[in-house]
Amino acid sequence: PLLPGSMEELIEARGGKAVPLIAGYATHEGLSMELMLKVASGYPQPVVTIVAHIVARHIAMHGAKGKANVKRYLRLLRKVSGGIGFGSAFSNLIWTDGFRRGAVDYAEMTTRAGSRAWVYAMDIPMRFAGRTIASSHGIDVALTFNPGDDPEATVPMFADHPNATPLARRWVAMLGHFARYGEPGDALGEWPAHEPLRRASLWVSGDRCSVKHDLEARYRREVWERLPAPAKAS
């Protein structure tokens, strides 16, 4: 209600003056979501799994680009995963694909408008609620606020990797450079802007950052492109 149009419309209207963008996702977005639900509710795991599945189905509209596509979208995701379409792994897949598609779509919109965008995928293990899990929702908070260098930090360093603090310093340097100059600089090494032919992404891990191309290929071809295009707002 606060914006004079959708994100898509506003990016397109700005054209080459569209604000440069950095967008990304964690490799297992839904794992921390389910764990947060378990900690907050205290429910036994079978109940948590059911509730997490209901929540994941509700947010599937983002990856599906609309409520009308959700059933087909979930069928396609189930086919890609080879699973039964239920359980922690499937809920995690729904969350991850929603963030993955959102990051890529907004990067492509910004690029088409005439500006530039950069995409990352974050693969850093997390220590959360007493458990070590794969890179999940919120892992970028540990880098952005870098509590490892702040003795008064109120955000825990839940990035579970010995290089987390040095990587966080480089991540913060990148964000500062991006805020000043509209591009990420070289703090994390080579990071090409996203473009539709090579589809470069920066793979961010505790060991090293590296450029990978077309990380989303399987989901784009087997899920996204098999859904009807979202209707434009009138």
Side-chain angles (χ1 to χ4, degrees), residues 64-65 69 101 224 226-232:
K65 296 298 177 183
N69 291 339
R101 188 173 189 188
W224 308 346
R226 298 189 181 189
L227 294 171
K232 278 197 169 186

Side-chain angles (χ1 to χ4, degrees), residues 77-216:
L77 278 183
R78 185 173 66 244
K79 185 176 180 181
V80 167
S81 68
I84 62 173
F86 181 76
S88 297
F90 190 67
S91 294
N92 171 57
L93 180 60
I94 296 171
W95 279 102
T96 304
D97 196 59
F99 280 97
R100 174 171 45 225
R101 188 173 189 188
V104 171
D105 279 359
Y106 282 119
E108 290 184 350
M109 289 174 204
T110 302
T111 302
R112 282 198 305 269
S115 186
R116 293 190 297 169
W118 290 263
V119 176
Y120 67 85
M122 201 164 282
D123 184 26
I124 303 170
M126 296 175 65
R127 186 71 182 169
F128 188 77
R131 290 175 51 186
T132 296
I133 60 174
S135 185
S136 192
H137 190 74
I139 185 62
D140 53 322
V141 175
L143 301 189
T144 301
F145 291 94
N146 188 16
D149 280 339
D150 183 0
E152 299 181 1
T154 57
V155 176
M157 176 51 90
F158 45 77
D160 193 17
H161 194 281
N163 294 334
T165 295
L167 176 60
R169 293 176 192 140
R170 294 167 58 205
W171 181 262
V172 171
M174 177 276 293
L175 291 175
H177 192 280
F178 181 76
R180 292 185 183 96
Y181 304 112
E183 52 92 12
D186 60 2
L188 297 173
E190 179 191 11
W191 188 358
H194 184 88
E195 45 83 23
L197 294 179
R198 301 189 71 194
R199 301 175 183 272
S201 297
L202 187 70
W203 188 266
V204 181
S205 76
D207 297 316
R208 63 189 295 264
C209 298
S210 58
V211 177
K212 296 182 182 289
H213 295 281
D214 211 4
L215 283 173
E216 71 280 1

